[in-house]
Amino acid sequence: MSNPLFVQVLAATTRESREQMLSLATARQIYSKNIHKTLINKQDNRLRLKAKPPDGHADGSVVDALRSLVHRGWVLEALDLSDVCMSTDELRELLPVLMQCHSMTGLNMAGNARGRLRVTALDAPLRTKLCRTLRSLDLSGNALDAASAPVLARGLERCSALTSLNLTNNELHTEGARIVLGALHRGPASVLQDLNLSDNQMTAETAPELVRVLEQCSSLTSLCLDENPLGSDAACDIIKALERGPALVLQQLHLMYVSLAADSAVDLARAMTAWPALKTLNIAANDIYDEAAIEIAAALPQCPSLVNLDLRSTCIDDDGAKKLAEAMLLCTKLEELDLAGNFVKDEGFYLLLDRAGSCESLQSLSLDNNYISNEAIESARWPGNVEVGVQDQLQFLGDLSEDGDEDA
């Protein structure tokens, strides 16, 4: 009887690198003799597999193919099932297969909300040897809610080798996030390198658990908390925890749209000098104003690794823009500066262009959606080494506060 297998698996030979993630089509009927020949030719039977979305004309299913691979002795080191749109029944059938994968280091189940993946269904696999070998787990975009958190927590506590965890775009809320963070504290916090909890509707009440985890994360290189209404006080506590925890190794920090206020942004600016490895800082969509922008500008020359600085929609006016322009001259690695959606006007625009031309490392300067006049744009001297964005400028109407007082 024929067996369903991925077509590309049959093409794999000893020339395939174990580090390469093979891109796989859906299952088809393949003769046993071809399978046998492939198993003989491929001396290294470890695979890293990435499935594609289902094909209605293909025989068998993703789960059928995986079941056949495991049964025939293939060792799945990494499995990427992201955005495959598996049904609830397929997800249920997948679990026994995962329980047999005792050497898997990477599992990506992102974007399978169609089957309403619940961590309760992953309880059994996460209790097996699978969790002991996992180094990367991606469950983003699966509509996981607070009811799933206790089961996920039981698995995470056992994932002692986990270095990367992505739970972005779920529905953990404050209650679920606190349970998950407690598990990380008891489990892999000391070895975590990449933690993404963005877009989970976490509030300030999660701050104590988050701070406790971050203080343990001495190996953390990337933290993303975007689109969580944490509030300025919680953000300040998180910044201090990062100073006490992974300060020397932190490379990426994403705090976009977390309700960061000017005073906490000032604290962030002063903390930047304690993060020598920081390459990317994103604090877009927070009202930090010129006060914090000036402090960030003062810190930039002491950030030797900073490559990307995202300050979109942060209420920065000309005063802050001018200070950032002057600081660019002392930045040796800065490649991208994003000031779109602010209140930069002609004077700040001219100075930014002038200093951008003298910043040898700078490649991109975004000034879209500001208040730069058409006349200034038409007469500008553009730096040859920098791509400058000035689209969709708004019209500055001036300060109307005096007129408002007179009318009153």
Side-chain angles (χ1 to χ4, degrees), residues 142-279:
N142 277 296
L144 302 178
D145 55 17
S148 304
V151 177
L152 176 58
R154 287 198 293 270
L156 289 177
E157 287 180 13
R158 295 174 171 84
C159 293
S160 57
L162 194 68
T163 60
S164 176
L165 177 63
N166 188 350
L167 295 175
T168 188
N169 190 24
N170 280 296
E171 302 167 8
L172 291 176
H173 294 268
T174 296
E175 179 185 355
R178 293 178 67 177
I179 294 172
V180 169
L181 289 167
L184 293 178
H185 174 70
R186 295 186 296 273
S190 62
V191 297
L192 267 180
Q193 298 176 15
D194 184 356
L195 178 59
N196 192 335
L197 295 171
S198 63
D199 196 10
N200 268 286
Q201 303 175 55
M202 294 160 50
T203 65
E205 295 178 9
T206 62
E209 285 80 6
L210 186 54
V211 164
R212 189 169 58 164
V213 170
L214 293 178
E215 288 177 338
Q216 265 191 301
C217 291
S218 57
S219 302
L220 194 69
T221 60
S222 177
L223 175 64
C224 184
L225 298 173
D226 291 346
E227 299 185 73
N228 287 296
L230 292 165
S232 199
D233 290 342
C236 185
D237 291 339
I238 291 166
I239 292 164
K240 292 177 181 177
L242 290 172
E243 287 185 274
R244 295 190 293 268
L248 297 179
V249 297
L250 186 66
Q251 296 180 18
Q252 297 194 42
L253 179 58
H254 298 265
L255 295 174
M256 180 181 71
Y257 196 40
V258 296
S259 303
L260 184 70
D263 54 350
S264 294
V266 169
D267 291 336
L268 172 63
R270 293 169 181 170
M272 288 169 60
T273 59
W275 302 327
L278 188 67
K279 295 181 179 179

Side-chain angles (χ1 to χ4, degrees), residues 110-380:
N112 279 295
R114 171 175 171 261
R116 299 296 292 181
L117 171 67
R118 295 299 184 194
V119 176
T120 50
L122 285 173
D123 190 17
L126 288 175
R127 285 172 174 264
T128 66
K129 293 180 180 179
L130 172 66
C131 69
R132 301 177 191 173
T133 59
L134 275 181
R135 299 213 304 257
S136 175
L137 178 61
D138 191 335
L139 296 175
S140 58
N142 277 296
L144 302 178
D145 55 17
S148 304
V151 177
L152 176 58
R154 287 198 293 270
L156 289 177
E157 287 180 13
R158 295 174 171 84
C159 293
S160 57
L162 194 68
T163 60
S164 176
L165 177 63
N166 188 350
L167 295 175
T168 188
N169 190 24
N170 280 296
E171 302 167 8
L172 291 176
H173 294 268
T174 296
E175 179 185 355
R178 293 178 67 177
I179 294 172
V180 169
L181 289 167
L184 293 178
H185 174 70
R186 295 186 296 273
S190 62
V191 297
L192 267 180
Q193 298 176 15
D194 184 356
L195 178 59
N196 192 335
L197 295 171
S198 63
D199 196 10
N200 268 286
Q201 303 175 55
M202 294 160 50
T203 65
E205 295 178 9
T206 62
E209 285 80 6
L210 186 54
V211 164
R212 189 169 58 164
V213 170
L214 293 178
E215 288 177 338
Q216 265 191 301
C217 291
S218 57
S219 302
L220 194 69
T221 60
S222 177
L223 175 64
C224 184
L225 298 173
D226 291 346
E227 299 185 73
N228 287 296
L230 292 165
S232 199
D233 290 342
C236 185
D237 291 339
I238 291 166
I239 292 164
K240 292 177 181 177
L242 290 172
E243 287 185 274
R244 295 190 293 268
L248 297 179
V249 297
L250 186 66
Q251 296 180 18
Q252 297 194 42
L253 179 58
H254 298 265
L255 295 174
M256 180 181 71
Y257 196 40
V258 296
S259 303
L260 184 70
D263 54 350
S264 294
V266 169
D267 291 336
L268 172 63
R270 293 169 181 170
M272 288 169 60
T273 59
W275 302 327
L278 188 67
K279 295 181 179 179
T280 297
L281 177 62
N282 182 353
I283 55 173
N286 291 289
D287 296 338
I288 69 170
Y289 298 98
D290 281 346
E291 177 187 3
I294 291 170
E295 291 289 342
I296 291 173
L300 287 182
Q302 303 175 65
C303 299
S305 303
L306 194 66
V307 174
N308 303 305
L309 179 58
D310 193 337
L311 298 174
R312 287 170 294 154
S313 303
T314 50
C315 301
I316 296 176
D317 210 319
D318 261 5
D319 289 343
K322 291 176 186 177
K323 291 296 184 180
L324 289 167
E326 297 291 353
M328 279 195 293
L329 296 176
L330 302 175
C331 296
T332 58
K333 290 191 176 181
L334 186 66
E335 296 179 2
E336 298 181 16
L337 175 60
D338 198 334
L339 291 171
N342 282 294
F343 299 94
V344 179
K345 295 177 279 294
D346 291 0
E347 193 174 347
F349 169 62
Y350 284 132
L351 189 60
L352 281 165
L353 284 190
D354 180 70
R355 298 302 186 265
S358 301
C359 182
E360 296 182 359
S361 62
L362 195 67
Q363 300 176 11
S364 173
L365 173 63
S366 178
L367 292 167
D368 298 333
N369 298 108
N370 275 279
Y371 291 84
I372 305 166
S373 69
N374 290 332
E375 293 78 10
I377 292 174
E378 291 172 0
S379 63

Side-chain angles (χ1 to χ4, degrees), residues 368-370 390-394:
D368 298 333
N369 298 108
N370 275 279
V390 288
Q391 305 222 351
D392 301 321
Q393 295 299 313
L394 304 174

